[in-house]
Amino acid sequence: MPERGQSPPPERSTGKQMHTPPGTGKGTDDASNKEDLNKASIEHLTSNPRGPLEDEVEKKFEKGFKPEKKS
């Protein structure tokens, strides 16, 4: 018996598995303006974007930082 998740041996395969040709390999989306979309999406990227906590870290290590007292 084949292990779970494996295809059956060819002699036990159904007609669809054996006789249906593979897909065409073409996607369903329209990629006519793909180059323009890619250029537009990377135009304003920075090489090293700021992290979400960088402002807080800078505040914490400023000269004269006084931590808040917890009650």
Side-chain angles (χ1 to χ4, degrees), residues 32-41:
S32 58
N33 60 347
K34 184 177 179 180
E35 290 295 321
D36 296 332
L37 289 173
N38 287 344
K39 281 182 185 175
S41 64

Side-chain angles (χ1 to χ4, degrees), residues 55-66:
D55 293 334
E56 292 300 317
V57 170
E58 286 176 5
K59 259 196 261 178
K60 184 175 184 175
F61 290 103
E62 281 178 350
K63 237 180 181 180
F65 172 76
K66 293 183 172 79

Side-chain angles (χ1 to χ4, degrees), residues 2-23:
E3 288 186 29
R4 193 167 137 167
Q6 291 184 346
S7 299
E11 58 272 6
R12 289 189 44 224
S13 295
T14 64
K16 285 188 177 186
Q17 290 172 326
M18 294 296 291
H19 305 295
T20 304

Side-chain angles (χ1 to χ4, degrees), residues 21-28:
T24 61
K26 300 203 181 225
T28 56

